[in-house]
Amino acid sequence: MILEYLIFLGLGCITGVIAGLLGVGGGTIVVPTMIYFLTAYGAESDLIMKMALGTSFATIVVTSLSSVVAHNKKGSVMWRLVFFMGIGSAIGVGLGGAIVSKLSNTTLQVIFCIFLAYTITNMIFTASKPEAAEPIQLGPGPYTGMGALIGFVASFVGIGGGVLTVPILSKVGHKMKNAIGSSSALGAILAFFGALAAIANGWGESNLPDGSFGYVYLPAFIGLSLSSIVFAPLGAKLVYILPVKRIRQIFAIFLTIILINFLYKMYTG
């Protein structure tokens, strides 16, 4: 058990930096890692992906909060926008979570891989796209709808929605730094409701590993959360040092490594 905590503490350092730098909660690291760990642990195959998603959401709540504090100090969080998108994301992740609880482990893994491939492609083709001078003026309705879509998709892949939120906000003309800062805040809201859904849907489930709280694996949640709180501010500082193009390239490279490793494990597993 001690070794488990040490492993997840180390992983949380990486997750925290990525969360602060890219405006994501680190789910793209947590989900594959949890799959590898739970497989080696001998967990029930049909529960592995559901537990990976649930644990990822619980961790993202803490990681995103740490990240958003750092971004808010820089004035990069658009709170009015986050409010309306947060309402939509809560609805979307709740609906998606109910569907996820009924899907097979293989189906969820395939969805995760497809989503990563899409995200990588999107970031590569927009890496050199210049930022807009002014954002498009949109009302509460469109932002609430965006949040609902992001929350629904995020429920299937266990992320805070940053890989969707950042490109979408950039697309409508918001500066990259504002998109990343606001994504961190939205990620905390989305992940909170995602974690609640995972706990509720997994409550009373038989054959869960020791230390489970619904579909949340507590040793991983505690270890990841403790270290990511410390390292998320470091990633947030890098946002104001690295150029926009470089941030997008880092995002694409990082996700490509995760996808290749994940596909290899699926193929050889």
Side-chain angles (χ1 to χ4, degrees), residues 245-264:
K245 180 179 179 180
R246 192 66 63 211
I247 294 175
R248 287 174 171 150
Q249 289 174 335
I250 291 172
F251 205 170
I253 293 171
F254 159 68
L255 291 180
T256 300
I257 294 172
I258 292 294
L259 177 59
I260 292 173
N261 192 31
F262 193 72
L263 288 172
Y264 172 76

Side-chain angles (χ1 to χ4, degrees), residues 54 57-58 61 93 190-203 213 216:
F57 276 132
V61 175
V93 77
L190 189 161
F192 174 76
F193 287 100
L196 285 181
I199 292 171
N201 292 328
W203 197 260
F213 189 60
V216 175

